[in-house]
Amino acid sequence: MQIGTVIEVSSLYQSDSWGFESDDFFNCIILIHTEKTPLKILSSIKKIEKDFGRIKKQNNQYESRTIDIDIISFNDEIINLEQLEVPHPQMQNRLFVLMPLNDIKLKYFHPILKKNCTDLLQDCEDKTNCQFIQNLEKPLLNFNLNQFNYIAIEGNIGAGKTTLANKIAQDFNAKTVLERFADNPFLPKFYKDQNRYAFPLEMSFLADRYQQLSDDLAQFDLFKDFIIADYHIFKSLIFSKVTLNEDEFRLYKTLFDIIYKEMPKPDLYIYLYQNTARLLQNIKRRGRVYEQEIPFEYLEKINKGYLDYIKSQTDLNVLIIDVSDKDFVKKQQDYLYILEAIGAKINS
């Protein structure tokens, strides 16, 4: 979990020692999702091995060891470096690799040998003993997000909702619905002249959100387990209440109420709370030019609008996660903190 999110774990296998006389080995394979490069993964692996007490000798001879972690494959990449070869050059010759690899039902295809896992097993000439010992505990905590059809992640500007939606979609096989803010021609103009462009901005966002959610929530994807969106349409009312004058907001709310009745509510509504100072740091870091002059007070009002909305929704399945001191992009433990919070909510 220091390297990435564990997606799948094979059964445990016991096999003869390889290349020297020793006690039997125990082997398994894990499938992880990670944003680290192969060399950074290798560096992390060496640290984990050292933490578990492995002292690696320099003679490159096979030897008994407390732990031995190898990178078997990395996507469909072919890597030929002095310190790392991927796919592992001996994987096709070792039953203790191929049998657990076959366990995890990965649609693996060897990019050099042009064979899938079934073919590799059939062609393997390894005669050593390798046998199933036991099933191992499944990863990704103790819950299934696919019990939901539709999850919405919300938060203020710069809270990280799109990043989190993408990460969860990758790890849990979900279809993403991501807000198309970059296509809105009124957004840069709004940040320069709020009074003039607030109403056309909010109306265009409302129309686009309604169209996108109506289309995407109605289209079932056979290859995905559920839908996760980085917004819920109610955000339109939260932002418009802050940006519009009283008369404009009254008209806007009339139109919104008509649309809102037709929209399905998410099965789980996750609100990422970040304090305003941290939001400003995130906005500055991601560098969108038109966002750099967003005032502190504006973000404060949006935060309050979200919290007021959540308090009023007695029939909405809401989970609030404070991520003000978290960095779930760079720190895997912070991402796992969020997953654990979601798991606790589901299990409760």
Side-chain angles (χ1 to χ4, degrees), residues 2-3 36-58 60 67-71 81-85:
Q2 296 176 28
I3 297 171
K36 291 189 175 185
T37 64
L39 288 180
K40 285 186 177 180
I41 295 173
L42 183 63
S43 176
S44 297
I45 284 173
K46 289 180 178 179
K47 183 179 184 304
I48 293 171
E49 289 180 335
K50 185 177 180 181
D51 291 343
F52 274 82
R54 181 176 182 184
I55 301 173
K56 202 163 185 177
K57 296 179 181 178
Q58 300 299 317
N60 291 326
I67 187 173
D68 182 24
I69 306 174
D70 288 317
I71 301 174
L81 300 172
E82 182 180 351
Q83 64 270 51
L84 178 64
E85 287 186 69

Side-chain angles (χ1 to χ4, degrees), residues 54-206:
R54 181 176 182 184
I55 301 173
K56 202 163 185 177
K57 296 179 181 178
Q58 300 299 317
N59 57 16
N60 291 326
Q61 297 295 314
Y62 289 115
E63 61 183 357
S64 182
R65 54 268 198 195
T66 306
I67 187 173
D68 182 24
I69 306 174
D70 288 317
I71 301 174
I72 302 300
S73 182
F74 186 85
N75 296 330
D76 57 355
E77 292 188 22
I78 300 171
I79 302 171
N80 255 314
L81 300 172
E82 182 180 351
Q83 64 270 51
L84 178 64
E85 287 186 69
V86 174
H88 192 288
Q90 292 296 326
M91 64 171 291
Q92 68 275 10
N93 300 320
R94 296 176 175 177
L95 283 177
F96 65 78
V97 172
L98 297 178
M99 290 177 71
L101 180 63
N102 192 56
D103 260 2
I104 62 176
K105 307 301 181 187
L106 179 68
K107 294 179 180 178
Y108 178 74
F109 190 78
H110 199 292
I112 298 174
L113 300 177
K114 309 299 182 185
K115 295 178 181 180
N116 60 29
C117 192
T118 302
D119 294 334
L120 291 171
L121 261 173
Q122 288 176 349
D123 297 342
C124 182
E125 297 180 358
D126 184 5
K127 304 302 181 185
T128 59
N129 180 53
C130 183
Q131 60 182 355
F132 167 87
I133 296 297
Q134 66 181 55
N135 293 319
L136 297 175
E137 184 177 345
K138 294 302 178 184
L140 283 179
L141 313 177
N142 225 359
F143 66 95
N144 291 315
L145 278 177
N146 60 10
Q147 65 184 274
F148 300 125
N149 292 319
Y150 167 34
I151 297 173
I153 297 178
E154 266 291 8
N156 208 330
I157 302 166
K161 49 193 177 291
T162 304
T163 300
L164 182 61
N166 280 321
K167 287 176 72 70
I168 290 178
Q170 182 188 45
D171 290 347
F172 291 87
N173 190 41
K175 172 185 174 181
T176 55
V177 179
L178 306 179
E179 189 170 20
R180 300 179 290 217
F181 62 89
D183 298 331
N184 194 311
F186 296 104
L187 192 56
K189 298 175 183 178
F190 166 77
Y191 285 123
K192 292 181 179 179
D193 189 346
Q194 179 173 326
N195 291 332
R196 181 178 178 183
Y197 290 105
F199 190 74
L201 173 73
E202 299 300 346
M203 286 299 298
S204 61
F205 265 137
L206 179 60

Side-chain angles (χ1 to χ4, degrees), residues 9-20:
V9 177
S10 75
S11 300
L12 183 67
Y13 287 82
Q14 184 174 356
S15 64
D16 296 338
S17 59
W18 181 276
F20 68 104

Side-chain angles (χ1 to χ4, degrees), residues 10-31:
S10 75
S11 300
L12 183 67
Y13 287 82
Q14 184 174 356
S15 64
D16 296 338
S17 59
W18 181 276
F20 68 104
E21 293 297 324
S22 173
D23 294 336
D24 287 351
F25 286 176
F26 293 94
N27 306 280
C28 73
I29 277 185
I30 63 171
L31 171 66

